[in-house]
Amino acid sequence: EYVEKTFSELYIPGRDICVDESLMLWKGRLSWKQFIRTKRSRFGIKSFSLCESSTGYLWSSCLYTGKELTDKLNSNHDSQYDYVATDIVLHLMKGLVGKGYRLHLDNWYNSIELTRCLLANKTDVVGTLRANRRGLTKELINMKLNPGECVHGFDQHNIMLTKWRDKQDINLISTFIDENTWVNVTRAGKDKEIPLAVHIYNNGMGGVDRSDQMLSSYECERKRVKKWYKKSFMHILNAIAFNCNILHGKVGRSITQLEFRKKLILSLVQNHHQEVIKPKRGRPAVVDVVRLNERHFPKF
């Protein structure tokens, strides 16, 4: 909590932010250990993170601890929402709501009620949406589309719902995109037209993945640690070093992660290292011995 508070006080993120889950490798026994097939670690301790889309700066996060996390979120405010993901997003967005941010979410977090709540607090939303969410019209869900086709719909709150057929049906929700806007992109060496909502979502959703990728490059967590909280502590130190490098690039010259960490280690050693002189064991040497002061001659 102290580190999260410091992260939010030292830096104001840009307009585009994203919320996603992060996974730290842990294969030991733990009641809230998670399995996420799409993550690099697959098994581990899950945390929900809010990051800046462009740099991956970790602005806030919360550790998933099962029912304990749900009780904590409910104790902070009387929740009236249908989904736990809505409470998680509002908890991570504390301090950024009402300031004109543009939030990117995937289909696990997104819902009609969350979008209306954020839109009422001057926060735009764009992201994918599950077809079984409450508030979606059956006409849009059951509509059959050919590959490349796209349809749009608006509700009374000016929230745009989009259904686009790529390899499969993709549902999106947005509060700030024009319905007739398309973008040309290059995929696998071929030019392709995609809706602007898809393009903005793809560009802004990678903040947490970018942060995880940079943290895994020079990770300081030991794989054989037997206590999960010790490994979590080392993971926090790793995140601190990553955020410090981003702040260093904002106020000075931008350098690589490896160069920054080398300078950080050297600075910590120079400022805090204290040489410890261990006493020698055994009988103390006598200095005023004749054989040490006079000339020596070999004896035949």
Side-chain angles (χ1 to χ4, degrees):
E1 290 175 352
Y2 167 76
V3 172
E4 180 183 355
K5 180 182 178 182
T6 306
F7 284 169
S8 59
E9 290 177 350
L10 290 178
Y11 181 68
I12 300 175
R15 179 189 61 180
D16 293 317
I17 55 177
C18 63
V19 172
D20 202 359
E21 61 267 5
S22 178
L23 198 69
M24 183 186 68
L25 177 63
W26 179 258
K27 293 186 177 180
R29 291 185 178 181
L30 194 61
S31 60
W32 60 74
K33 181 175 65 176
Q34 295 288 299
F35 171 76
I36 303 178
R37 189 183 303 275
T38 57
K39 295 296 182 180
R40 177 173 176 266
S41 302
R42 295 200 302 166
F43 291 95
I45 300 173
K46 183 171 71 173
S47 60
F48 302 100
S49 304
L50 187 149
C51 295
E52 187 182 32
S53 298
S54 58
T55 61
Y57 181 89
L58 180 61
W59 196 82
S60 66
S61 64
C62 63
L63 190 67
Y64 174 78
T65 54
K67 188 176 182 298
E68 182 181 347
L69 175 62
T70 307
D71 296 339
K72 177 183 177 181
L73 295 176
N74 292 335
S75 63
N76 293 336
H77 62 277
D78 296 332
S79 178
Q80 303 293 332
Y81 303 107
D82 297 329
Y83 307 105
V84 179
T86 302
D87 295 326
I88 293 174
V89 172
L90 294 179
H91 173 73
L92 295 175
M93 284 287 295
K94 189 183 301 181
L96 298 180
V97 175
K99 297 183 179 180
Y101 278 92
R102 200 158 71 177
L103 181 62
H104 300 72
L105 300 169
D106 63 13
N107 57 17
W108 190 83
Y109 302 93
N110 250 330
S111 63
I112 300 294
E113 62 174 4
L114 175 61
T115 304
R116 291 175 179 174
C117 177
L118 293 175
L119 186 60
N121 289 278
K122 301 179 182 179
T123 302
D124 286 320
V125 178
V126 62
T128 55
L129 187 67
R130 293 185 179 182
N132 59 354
R133 294 299 193 192
R134 296 181 183 178
L136 290 177
T137 58
K138 294 184 179 180
E139 297 179 357
L140 185 67
I141 296 175
N142 299 328
M143 189 175 295
K144 302 296 182 182
L145 300 177
N146 296 323
E149 288 185 350
C150 182
V151 293
H152 306 275
F154 291 86
D155 68 352
Q156 64 272 21
H157 299 278
N158 203 28
I159 297 175
M160 185 182 74
L161 301 175
T162 304
K163 186 173 184 178
W164 178 54
R165 177 71 179 183
D166 191 21
K167 294 182 180 179
Q168 58 184 1
D169 289 337
I170 300 176
N171 300 313
L172 296 105
I173 187 170
S174 174
T175 60
F176 61 93
I177 299 176
D178 186 12
E179 59 173 327
N180 296 321
T181 307
W182 291 73
V183 178
N184 289 321
V185 297
T186 303
R187 291 184 177 177
K190 297 181 180 179
D191 294 335
K192 187 176 183 178
E193 261 195 346
I194 62 174
L196 179 61
V198 178
H199 180 68
I200 294 178
Y201 169 77
N202 291 337
N203 290 338
M205 193 58 199
V208 178
D209 293 335
R210 183 176 293 106
S211 174
D212 291 341
Q213 182 181 8
M214 298 301 293
L215 290 177
S216 63
S217 299
Y218 307 103
E219 57 185 359
C220 57
E221 302 91 346
R222 296 179 59 188
K223 293 184 178 180
R224 296 184 179 274
V225 175
K226 295 184 179 180
K227 302 296 182 181
W228 67 269
Y229 48 84
K230 291 184 179 180
K231 191 168 186 178
S232 297
F233 178 76
M234 299 302 295
H235 182 74
I236 292 174
L237 294 182
N238 198 9
I240 291 174
F242 170 70
N243 278 359
C244 286
N245 185 26
I246 296 177
L247 296 178
H248 181 271
K250 295 291 183 179
V251 300
R253 184 175 66 90
S254 180
I255 58 177
T256 63
Q257 276 280 329
L258 180 60
E259 185 179 356
F260 176 79
R261 288 174 184 256
K262 285 182 177 180
K263 291 185 176 182
L264 176 63
I265 293 170
L266 182 61
S267 176
L268 291 174
V269 171
Q270 290 176 348
N271 294 334
H272 301 285
H273 175 67
Q274 296 180 357
E275 186 177 359
V276 179
I277 302 177
K278 296 182 179 180
K280 296 182 178 180
R281 295 182 179 180
R283 184 187 304 175
V286 181
V287 181
D288 55 346
V289 180
V290 179
R291 64 181 178 84
L292 299 180
N293 300 327
E294 300 295 331
R295 295 182 61 186
H296 294 183
F297 298 95
K299 182 178 180 180
F300 296 95

